[in-house]
Amino acid sequence: MEQKEALFNYLIRLADNSAILGHKLSQWCGHGPELEEDIAIINTALDLLGHSRSLYTYAGKVEGKGRTEDDLAFLREERKYTNALICELPNGHYGDTIARQFLFDQFNYLVFSELVKSSDETLAAISAKAIKEIRYHLRRSIEWTLRLGDGTEESHNKIQESFNDIWSYTGDLFVQNELDKVAIAAGIGPDLEAIRTEWRKSVEAVLSEATLQTPDDDWMHSGSKSGMHTEHMGHILSELQYMQRAYPGAEW
Amino acid sequence: MERKEWPLWEVFVRSKAGLSHKHAGSLHAPDEEMAISNARDVYTRRAEGVSIWVVESKHIHSTLETDSDSMFDPNEDKIYRHPTFYDIPDEVGHM
């Protein structure tokens, strides 16, 4: 794999994570459990969409075929998306969203902490800007995990079930393929094996403080790195891409 | 279903170093840490501040509207109460 192609694919993977999870979170708009929480979760959604915009724009530049952020976000087929499966899971109840968010934020935080040192200067600069927001996302999702886990019996049971349900999608975050080999060798991005160890340690610490059980690593879903998605992804894209496909080139 | 409301908090934001915290508004939150988080998300997302205070609204004691005559309507026959007889140097800044 040529290095330019590797960088493009790597940027797309990062951008897809932010775009799809940001889109899922944006669906809470107007439906948050409290006014303040509605605002807070949508701030996170906007932050993630902001990250994806920078990454898609830069990816388009790296590719050099004139594709814009909108082309990349709205006009690719499902199999071309390489976002982690956890990003496309349904919002469920608020505990499901918080559990998904905490597991992803912890991953995203560790990855971007490494990306600020990327050999690619633009990616490093984008990451330096993003990490400030990601640190706050993680802080919020930890605060909620602690409060729901160590809250009432009902909140404890509900969020424990959320973590149990989502757990089998966490392995997919750390699957590595040819792209990771090239990225690690070129110093573009981190070794996800090392991230996994850190992630596991941090997640266990928070869950234990929240009086929750860390689920066992059993069978895990995978496939996102080669564009294989859950059944939810097609529905997400049909909504997300509707406008651009119905009205090509539509702008605000 | 019984719905428990989160307590109300008053939010004070310092807009920049050197200025005092000013009341920005109020919000609901389950505890003080979440109140600060929510205040950040509700009141300081456009670079409005550098520091946030929150205090649970029930801890604020206030004057009563019925007392406003005796509290806030002094006779204006004591002009020496108003510092209008000297100039404030520019260097003093905010007073």
Side-chain angles (χ1 to χ4, degrees):
Chain A
M1 196 184 307
E2 195 206 332
Q3 187 153 339
K4 193 173 95 171
E5 188 191 348
L7 179 59
F8 173 79
N9 289 334
Y10 201 83
L11 292 167
I12 288 292
R13 190 200 280 175
L14 294 168
D16 287 346
N17 277 347
S18 305
I20 298 300
L21 185 58
H23 173 68
K24 288 308 298 176
L25 289 179
S26 77
Q27 294 176 323
W28 274 107
C29 190
H31 301 276
E34 294 282 338
L35 175 68
E36 290 79 1
E37 203 44 40
D38 194 282
I39 293 171
I41 201 84
I42 297 309
N43 277 339
T44 306
L46 285 172
D47 289 346
L48 289 172
L49 291 178
H51 304 166
S52 75
R53 291 190 58 186
S54 308
L55 292 162
Y56 281 138
T57 302
Y58 179 44
K61 227 176 259 171
V62 168
E63 187 190 38
K65 290 182 187 161
R67 285 206 277 182
T68 65
E69 50 174 309
D70 283 354
D71 295 332
L72 291 169
F74 297 124
L75 298 176
R76 283 178 301 139
E77 306 288 338
E78 179 176 333
R79 287 293 304 270
K80 298 287 186 194
Y81 282 78
T82 49
N83 56 278
L85 300 179
I86 197 171
C87 299
E88 67 203 47
L89 295 181
N91 285 340
H93 59 64
Y94 211 66
D96 292 330
T97 290
I98 292 296
R100 181 186 67 192
Q101 198 61 31
F102 167 53
L103 297 174
F104 179 79
D105 285 344
Q106 185 65 65
F107 169 80
N108 212 28
Y109 174 70
L110 293 170
V111 169
F112 273 79
S113 300
E114 293 300 317
L115 289 177
V116 299
K117 298 176 269 179
S118 173
S119 62
D120 184 86
E121 282 179 18
T122 308
L123 177 55
I126 292 172
S127 306
K129 207 171 138 214
I131 191 77
K132 292 192 289 181
E133 292 172 337
I134 295 170
R135 193 178 296 127
Y136 182 73
H137 302 164
L138 178 61
R139 178 190 140 144
R140 268 195 86 253
S141 53
I142 288 177
E143 281 177 350
W144 270 118
T145 300
L146 295 177
R147 280 160 182 76
L148 293 174
D150 197 13
T152 65
E153 195 185 334
E154 185 186 353
S155 73
H156 174 91
N157 292 340
K158 271 181 141 171
I159 198 158
Q160 179 68 64
E161 203 172 308
S162 306
F163 279 109
N164 295 348
D165 288 348
I166 294 170
W167 197 255
S168 62
Y169 292 93
T170 57
D172 174 67
L173 288 165
F174 306 100
V175 172
Q176 308 206 79
N177 60 13
E178 190 59 30
L179 174 56
D180 294 272
K181 278 189 204 155
V182 180
I184 294 166
I188 296 171
D191 185 343
L192 296 179
E193 235 359 271
I195 299 281
R196 178 176 214 150
T197 313
E198 282 296 300
W199 180 87
R200 175 89 202 188
K201 220 165 46 182
S202 309
V203 166
E204 266 177 358
V206 172
L207 292 187
S208 128
E209 195 185 337
T211 71
L212 295 165
Q213 296 284 329
T214 304
D216 291 329
D217 276 344
D218 209 335
W219 179 82
M220 292 280 184
H221 295 269
S222 66
S224 73
K225 305 256 168 29
S226 48
M228 301 288 282
H229 292 278
T230 66
E231 68 272 29
H232 309 296
M233 190 65 177
H235 296 281
I236 293 172
L237 291 183
S238 63
E239 272 186 17
L240 192 65
Q241 300 190 335
Y242 169 77
M243 285 295 280
Q244 276 299 320
R245 299 225 184 248
Y247 304 96
E251 283 181 32
W252 284 99
Chain B
M1 193 174 84
E2 186 202 4
R3 185 180 156 85
K4 282 191 191 144
E5 290 287 339
W6 286 344
L8 190 67
W9 300 77
E10 300 300 323
V11 178
F12 299 83
V13 174
R14 183 204 291 277
S15 56
K16 59 180 181 181
L19 297 186
S20 32
H21 287 73
K22 283 226 167 65
H23 187 232
S26 48
L27 49 73
H28 291 90
D31 55 42
E32 63 273 15
E33 281 170 13
M34 291 309 298
I36 287 179
S37 278
N38 288 348
R40 180 262 193 192
D41 281 314
V42 176
Y43 293 111
T44 67
R45 288 286 282 164
R46 293 161 202 87
E48 293 95 333
V50 295
S51 163
I52 295 173
W53 287 351
V54 293
V55 60
E56 220 181 315
S57 307
K58 69 177 182 194
H59 295 307
I60 292 193
H61 300 268
S62 86
T63 52
L64 298 173
E65 208 180 326
T66 47
D67 289 343
S68 56
D69 273 4
S70 54
M71 293 289 279
F72 304 117
D73 197 12
N75 288 327
E76 290 182 29
D77 56 358
K78 303 172 192 68
I79 52 171
Y80 48 84
R81 279 187 177 158
H82 300 275
T84 53
F85 298 102
Y86 52 87
D87 296 323
I88 299 170
D90 290 341
E91 299 81 64
V92 172
H94 305 283
M95 279 277 283

